[in-house]
Amino acid sequence: MKLRSMLFVPADSERKFAKAQSSGADALILDLEDSVAPDRKTLARDMLAELISSGAPRDWSLWVRVNALDTGLTLDDLSAVVRPGLDGIMVPKANGATDIERIGHYLDAFETRSGIARGTVKIIVVATETPAAMFNLGSYAPAHERLAAMTWGAEDLGAVIGSATNKQSDGDWTQTYRIVRSMCLFAASAADVARIDTLYADFKNPAGLEESCRASQQDGFTGRIAIHPDQVETINRCFSPSADDLAQAKRVVAAFEAQPGIGTLGIDGKMYDIPHLKLARRIVAAAE
């Protein structure tokens, strides 16, 4: 399951969903949380239930962002959407791995009710949206069997801690949010799950998005949230290895496989060791 690009779509908008399907995104996140008004959540659940059960062919994975546990709406969301055809859910405002374990138990029951195999529905966690969450990032490792990816967010956390802004005058994150971003990257790496960078809000600035995605990929993120279909192509391209990078990674992997048991070897006058091999294997896997 590729998760380079994950496009948010309000669950109550047929028009936006229709457009999103042809965006080229690896995954669509049908949102029941912030983008759906309280008086439309029941309607959105009904629309999602019909969509998931339609059985229509698709070349993208289908995820649903449910409402946070402290809203009292999560069980109603899961009851509506856990059915054959759902690939996973996104859990917002999680405080740590105990929240994922709790939702995992809910999913066990709803999967059994729906006649689908236990563990089918995976989880992506938005892991940095509460102050408590920042102290529990290490709790996600070892990863819950359902945990597929971790991502981070700035807006909800900022509202709680009272920060006036999360951006500097040059558009880069402030020091507080650079720490948040880095800690999520480390936590996802420790749990050995996909590392998804947060959204780039200025969807009318493709050059800025590309620059940001290049930096994100170089830092170690493996994918990114999109908020507009026009962002998807750039995200997919930036989080896919170039032909040259892929060819070199395959050379490194082949060289180590040809000399099993060796820890260091030379290729074209440059020394490679086990960390290089691990990175090369990641690059090859990302292209499959």
Side-chain angles (χ1 to χ4, degrees), residues 163-176:
S163 58
T165 180
N166 52 36
K167 293 292 184 68
Q168 301 179 138
S169 58
D170 62 0
D172 195 8
W173 298 107
T174 63
Q175 178 66 15
T176 297

Side-chain angles (χ1 to χ4, degrees), residues 230-271:
D230 290 347
Q231 295 182 316
V232 170
E233 187 277 331
T234 298
I235 292 173
N236 282 346
R237 176 163 40 81
C238 290
F239 286 95
S240 298
S242 69
D244 289 344
D245 288 343
L246 179 58
Q248 181 62 17
K250 288 181 176 179
R251 288 188 66 197
V252 171
V253 172
F256 275 95
E257 289 179 347
Q259 302 183 63
I262 196 168
T264 305
L265 52 78
I267 301 175
D268 297 334
K270 182 178 179 180
M271 297 305 297

Side-chain angles (χ1 to χ4, degrees), residues 8 19 64 67 86 127 149 211 255 280 287:
F8 267 114
K19 184 176 181 180
V64 173
N67 287 279
L86 178 68
E211 181 181 3

Side-chain angles (χ1 to χ4, degrees), residues 174-185:
T174 63
Q175 178 66 15
T176 297
Y177 293 95
R178 287 199 295 271
I179 292 172
V180 171
R181 177 178 181 272
S182 297
M183 291 300 292
C184 181
L185 177 61

Side-chain angles (χ1 to χ4, degrees), residues 3 6 149-152 194-198 221-225:
L3 295 175
M6 305 192 73
M150 295 175 65
T151 189
W152 70 286
R195 306 170 295 282
I196 310 299
D197 204 353
T198 195
F221 286 97
T222 57
R224 189 154 203 174
I225 300 292

